[in-house]
Amino acid sequence: KAGVTQTPRYLIKTRGQQVTLSCSPISGHRSVSWYQQTPGQGLQFLFEYFSETQRNKGNFPGRFSGRQFSNSRSEMNVSTLELGDSALYLCASSLDNRWTEAFFGQGTRLTVV
Amino acid sequence: GIQVEQSPPDLILQEGANSTLRCNFSDSVNNLQWFHQNPWGQLINLFYIPSGTKQNGRLSATTVATERYSLLYISSSQTTDSGVYFCAGGGSARQLTFGSGTQLTVLP
């Protein structure tokens, strides 16, 4: 079956703009999480959604937001982009609301200039 | 929150050598996973191993949950094993906390 799909794969934006990233989880998976990876901070948790509800949020400013749709697809939005937002953004899907194995997409590489 | 410490940070091996990567957790975790990050950035699942031992080909992993650590063994390493290996675990909050990774380089 298809894996986790993230679009777009690459993105270049200008400082001050906003961006929306998309994640389609594995069919049947209802939990979607987002992570940011940078050389300096490593992999950091952004937020997690289950059944269209945000259940957990990491330590990121309010410029980072997300949502989940009824088909479990998720989007994350970053407003007023800063140079430091340049990163690889990874999405993970899990089966349900219990602790189960997480599967990651290929990521979206965002560059802010 | 949970702290995850991975060691060693860097490892250089000759092809055919064996290696052990370690992951220590500051608190109990409800799940534990090992990943290999490919050159394009995707995290490839190696093991989901909250406890016990699993093997998959030349790779095996052991988690001792009571002592809060996990080990990843790579035997007869190949150049294609090169890359960054991450362990990650989750506590009471539904989020994975990642270690800083082990950069493995296998020389031909």
Side-chain angles (χ1 to χ4, degrees):
Chain A
K1 61 184 173 184
V4 180
T5 303
Q6 290 188 245
T7 56
R9 293 289 311 282
Y10 302 92
L11 208 47
I12 300 176
K13 288 287 188 178
T14 303
R15 198 169 39 177
Q17 287 186 314
Q18 75 165 17
V19 67
T20 300
L21 312 181
S22 179
C23 173
S24 293
I26 292 171
S27 178
H29 284 197
R30 295 168 62 194
S31 170
V32 174
S33 302
W34 290 88
Y35 294 81
Q36 180 198 64
Q37 185 177 26
T38 59
Q41 300 298 318
L43 279 149
Q44 293 186 290
F45 171 79
L46 281 157
F47 25 65
E48 189 250 350
Y49 289 87
F50 178 81
S51 292
E52 302 178 66
T53 300
Q54 184 183 91
R55 296 194 298 177
N56 199 13
K57 190 176 193 305
N59 189 24
F60 279 82
R63 300 185 297 105
F64 290 81
S65 63
R67 58 178 176 169
Q68 186 181 34
F69 302 95
S70 59
N71 62 357
S72 294
R73 188 177 73 85
S74 177
E75 289 181 347
M76 68 163 282
N77 184 278
V78 188
S79 62
T80 319
L81 284 165
E82 300 177 0
L83 297 179
D85 297 333
S86 295
L88 178 66
Y89 290 88
L90 292 163
C91 164
S93 80
S94 301
L95 186 60
D96 55 27
N97 62 340
R98 294 174 293 116
W99 270 118
T100 52
E101 189 172 5
F103 296 87
F104 283 79
Q106 293 180 296
T108 294
R109 193 167 295 278
L110 171 65
T111 301
V112 181
V113 298
Chain B
I2 291 174
Q3 307 297 316
V4 182
E5 185 180 312
Q6 278 190 252
S7 61
D10 297 280
L11 188 58
I12 301 175
L13 303 171
Q14 286 295 140
E15 201 168 25
N18 302 329
S19 60
T20 300
L21 282 57
R22 186 178 178 106
C23 186
N24 290 333
F25 291 84
S26 62
D27 203 346
S28 300
V29 294
N30 293 310
N31 72 341
L32 196 153
Q33 293 187 236
W34 283 95
F35 300 92
H36 179 208
Q37 190 164 38
N38 69 20
W40 297 273
Q42 186 172 11
L43 291 171
I44 306 299
N45 290 44
L46 296 177
F47 294 102
Y48 174 73
I49 186 165
S51 63
T53 298
K54 291 186 178 180
Q55 181 157 7
N56 184 3
R58 297 181 296 104
L59 273 58
S60 64
T62 295
T63 296
V64 183
T66 53
E67 297 188 21
R68 302 197 295 266
Y69 75 88
S70 184
L71 302 172
L72 177 68
Y73 305 97
I74 304 175
S75 64
S76 304
S77 57
Q78 301 175 357
T79 56
T80 52
D81 294 332
S82 295
V84 184
Y85 290 79
F86 290 99
C87 65
S92 56
R94 281 196 54 81
Q95 64 185 72
L96 285 174
T97 300
F98 283 79
S100 54
T102 292
Q103 174 74 58
L104 175 65
T105 303
V106 181
L107 302 175

